[in-house]
Amino acid sequence: MKTTQTNLRHAEWLSAEEMHIVSKEWLSELNFIKDEHLFFEDLVTHFTSQLIASDKFSDSKEIVDAINRSEKHNNKLIEAVKMHENELEIMVDGIDQKEAEKAYTKEHQDLVIGIKDFLKEYKSLKTQLFDIIKNIKKEDKRSHLLDRE
């Protein structure tokens, strides 16, 4: 909790250039995640029969739903960051607009928290998905070994 407060106070002192750089980094990371979502969809498609047949079908269905929710959330964050970037002019236009600048900084702080929370959930989602696929691969390998005997 203390770290978040420190990061928020730090965000208040970021320059327009620093906020621009952070926003570009967010977009890069979120676009990469967008590509990963496509990979996850291909992975799920490839292992559909094993996911359906497994004794953990409800877990598999839940992870597929989580991927879909994550993909939608990621797309919303991409749009929010793009809008945030487009509004950066408020910070650099040379016009003294204290309230608008304060609102922009607050929006940046909200994005810091939102993206941090999303990335934490996303990492958990990836771990769960890879664990499910790993277990399917192990079971598949075991069954192939048993078939050979």
Side-chain angles (χ1 to χ4, degrees), residues 19-20 22-32 34 73-89 104 107-108 111 115:
M19 284 190 271
H20 173 68
V22 169
S23 296
K24 290 294 182 190
E25 288 172 358
W26 287 338
L27 279 176
S28 176
E29 189 161 6
L30 294 171
N31 281 318
F32 182 78
K34 191 174 187 173
H73 192 184
N74 188 59
N75 289 336
K76 286 180 184 177
L77 285 173
I78 288 172
E79 289 308 310
V81 172
K82 284 180 181 178
M83 283 180 46
H84 183 66
E85 263 296 285
N86 291 338
E87 295 168 356
L88 182 64
E89 185 178 337
Y104 185 85
E107 180 182 322
H108 190 84
L111 281 169
I115 289 173

Short mmCIF file of all heavy atoms in Angstrom, two decimals, residues 19-20 22-32 34 73-89 104 107-108 111 115:
data_model
loop_
_atom_site.label_atom_id
_atom_site.label_comp_id
_atom_site.label_asym_id
_atom_site.label_seq_id
_atom_site.Cartn_x
_atom_site.Cartn_y
_atom_site.Cartn_z
N MET A 19 5.46 11.60 -18.81
CA MET A 19 4.15 10.95 -18.96
C MET A 19 3.98 10.41 -20.37
O MET A 19 3.39 9.35 -20.56
CB MET A 19 3.03 11.93 -18.59
CG MET A 19 2.89 12.14 -17.10
SD MET A 19 1.41 13.05 -16.65
CE MET A 19 2.01 14.72 -16.73
N HIS A 20 4.49 11.14 -21.35
CA HIS A 20 4.43 10.67 -22.74
C HIS A 20 5.22 9.37 -22.90
O HIS A 20 4.74 8.41 -23.50
CB HIS A 20 4.98 11.76 -23.67
CG HIS A 20 5.12 11.33 -25.09
ND1 HIS A 20 4.04 11.07 -25.90
CD2 HIS A 20 6.22 11.11 -25.85
CE1 HIS A 20 4.47 10.71 -27.10
NE2 HIS A 20 5.79 10.72 -27.09
N VAL A 22 6.01 7.18 -20.57
CA VAL A 22 5.31 6.11 -19.84
C VAL A 22 4.12 5.62 -20.65
O VAL A 22 3.88 4.41 -20.77
CB VAL A 22 4.86 6.60 -18.44
CG1 VAL A 22 3.91 5.63 -17.79
CG2 VAL A 22 6.07 6.83 -17.55
N SER A 23 3.37 6.54 -21.25
CA SER A 23 2.21 6.16 -22.06
C SER A 23 2.63 5.31 -23.26
O SER A 23 1.96 4.34 -23.60
CB SER A 23 1.46 7.41 -22.54
OG SER A 23 0.92 8.11 -21.45
N LYS A 24 3.72 5.69 -23.90
CA LYS A 24 4.22 4.90 -25.04
C LYS A 24 4.63 3.50 -24.59
O LYS A 24 4.39 2.51 -25.29
CB LYS A 24 5.41 5.60 -25.71
CG LYS A 24 5.03 6.86 -26.44
CD LYS A 24 4.15 6.53 -27.62
CE LYS A 24 3.78 7.78 -28.39
NZ LYS A 24 2.77 7.54 -29.39
N GLU A 25 5.24 3.39 -23.41
CA GLU A 25 5.62 2.08 -22.87
C GLU A 25 4.37 1.24 -22.59
O GLU A 25 4.35 0.05 -22.87
CB GLU A 25 6.46 2.24 -21.60
CG GLU A 25 7.85 2.76 -21.86
CD GLU A 25 8.62 3.11 -20.60
OE1 GLU A 25 8.06 3.00 -19.48
OE2 GLU A 25 9.79 3.52 -20.73
N TRP A 26 3.34 1.88 -22.03
CA TRP A 26 2.08 1.17 -21.77
C TRP A 26 1.50 0.63 -23.08
O TRP A 26 1.11 -0.52 -23.15
CB TRP A 26 1.06 2.09 -21.13
CG TRP A 26 1.30 2.45 -19.71
CD1 TRP A 26 2.05 1.76 -18.79
CD2 TRP A 26 0.77 3.58 -19.02
NE1 TRP A 26 2.01 2.40 -17.58
CE2 TRP A 26 1.23 3.52 -17.69
CE3 TRP A 26 -0.05 4.63 -19.41
CZ2 TRP A 26 0.89 4.48 -16.76
CZ3 TRP A 26 -0.38 5.59 -18.47
CH2 TRP A 26 0.08 5.51 -17.16
N LEU A 27 1.46 1.49 -24.10
CA LEU A 27 0.90 1.06 -25.38
C LEU A 27 1.69 -0.11 -25.96
O LEU A 27 1.09 -1.06 -26.49
CB LEU A 27 0.87 2.21 -26.38
CG LEU A 27 -0.29 3.18 -26.24
CD1 LEU A 27 -0.15 4.34 -27.22
CD2 LEU A 27 -1.61 2.47 -26.45
N SER A 28 2.99 -0.04 -25.85
CA SER A 28 3.82 -1.13 -26.36
C SER A 28 3.50 -2.43 -25.64
O SER A 28 3.31 -3.48 -26.27
CB SER A 28 5.29 -0.76 -26.18
OG SER A 28 6.11 -1.83 -26.59
N GLU A 29 3.45 -2.37 -24.32
CA GLU A 29 3.17 -3.57 -23.53
C GLU A 29 1.76 -4.10 -23.78
O GLU A 29 1.55 -5.31 -23.94
CB GLU A 29 3.37 -3.29 -22.05
CG GLU A 29 3.32 -4.53 -21.20
CD GLU A 29 3.96 -4.35 -19.84
OE1 GLU A 29 4.37 -3.23 -19.48
OE2 GLU A 29 4.07 -5.36 -19.13
N LEU A 30 0.79 -3.21 -23.85
CA LEU A 30 -0.60 -3.63 -24.08
C LEU A 30 -0.78 -4.21 -25.48
O LEU A 30 -1.54 -5.17 -25.66
CB LEU A 30 -1.56 -2.46 -23.84
CG LEU A 30 -1.64 -1.96 -22.39
CD1 LEU A 30 -2.44 -0.66 -22.32
CD2 LEU A 30 -2.22 -3.01 -21.46
N ASN A 31 -0.08 -3.66 -26.46
CA ASN A 31 -0.15 -4.23 -27.82
C ASN A 31 0.52 -5.59 -27.88
O ASN A 31 0.06 -6.48 -28.60
CB ASN A 31 0.44 -3.26 -28.84
CG ASN A 31 -0.52 -2.15 -29.19
OD1 ASN A 31 -1.71 -2.38 -29.38
ND2 ASN A 31 -0.02 -0.94 -29.28
N PHE A 32 1.58 -5.78 -27.12
CA PHE A 32 2.21 -7.09 -27.05
C PHE A 32 1.24 -8.10 -26.42
O PHE A 32 1.12 -9.23 -26.89
CB PHE A 32 3.51 -7.02 -26.24
CG PHE A 32 4.23 -8.33 -26.16
CD1 PHE A 32 4.98 -8.79 -27.24
CD2 PHE A 32 4.15 -9.12 -25.02
CE1 PHE A 32 5.64 -10.02 -27.17
CE2 PHE A 32 4.81 -10.33 -24.95
CZ PHE A 32 5.55 -10.79 -26.03
N LYS A 34 -1.91 -7.94 -26.54
CA LYS A 34 -2.93 -8.19 -27.57
C LYS A 34 -2.49 -9.35 -28.48
O LYS A 34 -3.27 -10.23 -28.81
CB LYS A 34 -3.16 -6.92 -28.38
CG LYS A 34 -4.34 -6.95 -29.28
CD LYS A 34 -4.54 -5.57 -29.91
CE LYS A 34 -5.83 -5.53 -30.68
NZ LYS A 34 -6.14 -4.18 -31.15
N HIS A 73 -10.64 -6.19 -21.61
CA HIS A 73 -10.05 -5.21 -20.69
C HIS A 73 -8.81 -4.58 -21.32
O HIS A 73 -8.60 -3.37 -21.24
CB HIS A 73 -9.73 -5.88 -19.36
CG HIS A 73 -9.39 -4.92 -18.27
ND1 HIS A 73 -8.98 -5.34 -17.03
CD2 HIS A 73 -9.35 -3.56 -18.21
CE1 HIS A 73 -8.72 -4.29 -16.28
NE2 HIS A 73 -8.94 -3.20 -16.97
N ASN A 74 -8.00 -5.40 -21.95
CA ASN A 74 -6.78 -4.91 -22.61
C ASN A 74 -7.14 -3.90 -23.70
O ASN A 74 -6.52 -2.84 -23.79
CB ASN A 74 -6.00 -6.09 -23.20
CG ASN A 74 -4.65 -5.68 -23.73
OD1 ASN A 74 -3.82 -5.16 -23.00
ND2 ASN A 74 -4.42 -5.92 -25.01
N ASN A 75 -8.16 -4.22 -24.51
CA ASN A 75 -8.58 -3.31 -25.58
C ASN A 75 -9.07 -1.98 -25.01
O ASN A 75 -8.78 -0.91 -25.56
CB ASN A 75 -9.65 -3.95 -26.45
CG ASN A 75 -9.08 -5.06 -27.32
OD1 ASN A 75 -7.88 -5.09 -27.62
ND2 ASN A 75 -9.93 -5.99 -27.71
N LYS A 76 -9.80 -2.03 -23.89
CA LYS A 76 -10.27 -0.79 -23.25
C LYS A 76 -9.09 0.04 -22.74
O LYS A 76 -9.09 1.26 -22.87
CB LYS A 76 -11.22 -1.11 -22.09
CG LYS A 76 -12.59 -1.56 -22.54
CD LYS A 76 -13.47 -1.87 -21.35
CE LYS A 76 -14.81 -2.42 -21.82
NZ LYS A 76 -15.67 -2.81 -20.69
N LEU A 77 -8.10 -0.65 -22.17
CA LEU A 77 -6.92 0.08 -21.68
C LEU A 77 -6.14 0.71 -22.83
O LEU A 77 -5.66 1.84 -22.71
CB LEU A 77 -6.01 -0.85 -20.87
CG LEU A 77 -6.49 -1.20 -19.47
CD1 LEU A 77 -5.59 -2.26 -18.85
CD2 LEU A 77 -6.54 0.04 -18.59
N ILE A 78 -6.03 0.01 -23.94
CA ILE A 78 -5.33 0.57 -25.11
C ILE A 78 -6.03 1.86 -25.54
O ILE A 78 -5.38 2.88 -25.78
CB ILE A 78 -5.26 -0.45 -26.26
CG1 ILE A 78 -4.26 -1.56 -25.93
CG2 ILE A 78 -4.87 0.23 -27.58
CD1 ILE A 78 -4.26 -2.73 -26.90
N GLU A 79 -7.34 1.81 -25.64
CA GLU A 79 -8.10 3.00 -26.04
C GLU A 79 -7.94 4.12 -25.02
O GLU A 79 -7.79 5.29 -25.39
CB GLU A 79 -9.57 2.66 -26.25
CG GLU A 79 -9.83 1.83 -27.50
CD GLU A 79 -9.22 2.43 -28.76
OE1 GLU A 79 -9.43 3.64 -29.03
OE2 GLU A 79 -8.50 1.70 -29.48
N ALA A 80 -7.97 3.79 -23.72
CA ALA A 80 -7.82 4.80 -22.67
C ALA A 80 -6.44 5.46 -22.75
O ALA A 80 -6.33 6.69 -22.60
CB ALA A 80 -8.04 4.17 -21.30
N VAL A 81 -5.41 4.67 -22.98
CA VAL A 81 -4.05 5.23 -23.07
C VAL A 81 -3.92 6.10 -24.32
O VAL A 81 -3.31 7.18 -24.27
CB VAL A 81 -2.98 4.12 -23.04
CG1 VAL A 81 -1.59 4.68 -23.33
CG2 VAL A 81 -2.99 3.40 -21.70
N LYS A 82 -4.51 5.68 -25.43
CA LYS A 82 -4.47 6.49 -26.66
C LYS A 82 -5.15 7.84 -26.43
O LYS A 82 -4.64 8.89 -26.83
CB LYS A 82 -5.13 5.76 -27.82
CG LYS A 82 -4.28 4.65 -28.41
CD LYS A 82 -5.01 3.97 -29.55
CE LYS A 82 -4.20 2.85 -30.15
NZ LYS A 82 -4.92 2.15 -31.23
N MET A 83 -6.32 7.81 -25.78
CA MET A 83 -7.03 9.07 -25.48
C MET A 83 -6.18 9.94 -24.55
O MET A 83 -6.09 11.16 -24.74
CB MET A 83 -8.39 8.77 -24.84
CG MET A 83 -9.44 8.33 -25.83
SD MET A 83 -11.06 7.99 -25.09
CE MET A 83 -11.32 9.39 -24.03
N HIS A 84 -5.57 9.30 -23.57
CA HIS A 84 -4.72 10.01 -22.62
C HIS A 84 -3.56 10.68 -23.36
O HIS A 84 -3.23 11.85 -23.09
CB HIS A 84 -4.22 9.02 -21.56
CG HIS A 84 -3.39 9.62 -20.49
ND1 HIS A 84 -3.88 10.52 -19.57
CD2 HIS A 84 -2.07 9.44 -20.16
CE1 HIS A 84 -2.92 10.87 -18.73
NE2 HIS A 84 -1.82 10.23 -19.07
N GLU A 85 -2.98 9.97 -24.28
CA GLU A 85 -1.88 10.51 -25.08
C GLU A 85 -2.34 11.71 -25.90
O GLU A 85 -1.64 12.71 -26.00
CB GLU A 85 -1.35 9.43 -26.05
CG GLU A 85 -0.15 8.68 -25.60
CD GLU A 85 1.08 9.55 -25.45
OE1 GLU A 85 1.71 9.96 -26.44
OE2 GLU A 85 1.42 9.83 -24.29
N ASN A 86 -3.52 11.60 -26.50
CA ASN A 86 -4.05 12.69 -27.32
C ASN A 86 -4.34 13.94 -26.50
O ASN A 86 -4.31 15.05 -27.04
CB ASN A 86 -5.31 12.24 -28.06
CG ASN A 86 -5.02 11.20 -29.12
OD1 ASN A 86 -3.90 11.09 -29.61
ND2 ASN A 86 -6.02 10.43 -29.48
N GLU A 87 -4.62 13.77 -25.23
CA GLU A 87 -4.93 14.90 -24.37
C GLU A 87 -3.68 15.52 -23.73
O GLU A 87 -3.78 16.49 -22.99
CB GLU A 87 -5.91 14.46 -23.28
CG GLU A 87 -7.26 14.05 -23.83
CD GLU A 87 -8.13 13.34 -22.81
OE1 GLU A 87 -7.67 13.10 -21.68
OE2 GLU A 87 -9.27 13.01 -23.17
N LEU A 88 -2.52 14.98 -24.04
CA LEU A 88 -1.26 15.47 -23.46
C LEU A 88 -1.02 16.94 -23.78
O LEU A 88 -0.34 17.64 -23.03
CB LEU A 88 -0.09 14.62 -23.94
CG LEU A 88 1.29 14.95 -23.41
CD1 LEU A 88 1.33 14.73 -21.90
CD2 LEU A 88 2.35 14.12 -24.09
N GLU A 89 -1.62 17.42 -24.83
CA GLU A 89 -1.43 18.81 -25.24
C GLU A 89 -1.75 19.79 -24.11
O GLU A 89 -1.14 20.86 -24.01
CB GLU A 89 -2.31 19.11 -26.46
CG GLU A 89 -2.10 20.49 -27.02
CD GLU A 89 -2.94 20.75 -28.25
OE1 GLU A 89 -3.36 19.80 -28.92
OE2 GLU A 89 -3.18 21.94 -28.52
N TYR A 104 -5.64 16.00 -15.72
CA TYR A 104 -4.82 15.13 -16.57
C TYR A 104 -3.88 14.29 -15.71
O TYR A 104 -3.72 13.09 -15.93
CB TYR A 104 -4.02 15.96 -17.58
CG TYR A 104 -3.25 15.10 -18.55
CD1 TYR A 104 -3.86 14.61 -19.70
CD2 TYR A 104 -1.93 14.74 -18.30
CE1 TYR A 104 -3.17 13.80 -20.59
CE2 TYR A 104 -1.23 13.93 -19.18
CZ TYR A 104 -1.86 13.47 -20.33
OH TYR A 104 -1.17 12.65 -21.19
N GLU A 107 -5.82 11.60 -14.04
CA GLU A 107 -6.11 10.54 -15.01
C GLU A 107 -4.87 9.65 -15.20
O GLU A 107 -4.99 8.42 -15.28
CB GLU A 107 -6.52 11.16 -16.35
CG GLU A 107 -6.84 10.14 -17.42
CD GLU A 107 -7.19 10.80 -18.75
OE1 GLU A 107 -7.85 11.85 -18.74
OE2 GLU A 107 -6.76 10.25 -19.79
N HIS A 108 -3.71 10.26 -15.24
CA HIS A 108 -2.47 9.49 -15.39
C HIS A 108 -2.27 8.57 -14.18
O HIS A 108 -1.92 7.41 -14.33
CB HIS A 108 -1.27 10.44 -15.55
CG HIS A 108 -0.01 9.74 -15.94
ND1 HIS A 108 0.27 9.43 -17.25
CD2 HIS A 108 1.02 9.27 -15.20
CE1 HIS A 108 1.43 8.79 -17.29
NE2 HIS A 108 1.92 8.69 -16.06
N LEU A 111 -4.56 5.66 -14.45
CA LEU A 111 -4.04 4.70 -15.42
C LEU A 111 -2.89 3.88 -14.83
O LEU A 111 -2.78 2.68 -15.10
CB LEU A 111 -3.58 5.40 -16.70
CG LEU A 111 -4.69 5.80 -17.67
CD1 LEU A 111 -4.17 6.71 -18.77
CD2 LEU A 111 -5.36 4.57 -18.27
N ILE A 115 -3.49 -0.06 -14.93
CA ILE A 115 -2.59 -0.90 -15.73
C ILE A 115 -1.81 -1.84 -14.82
O ILE A 115 -1.63 -3.01 -15.15
CB ILE A 115 -1.68 -0.04 -16.62
CG1 ILE A 115 -2.54 0.59 -17.73
CG2 ILE A 115 -0.54 -0.86 -17.21
CD1 ILE A 115 -1.85 1.59 -18.60
#
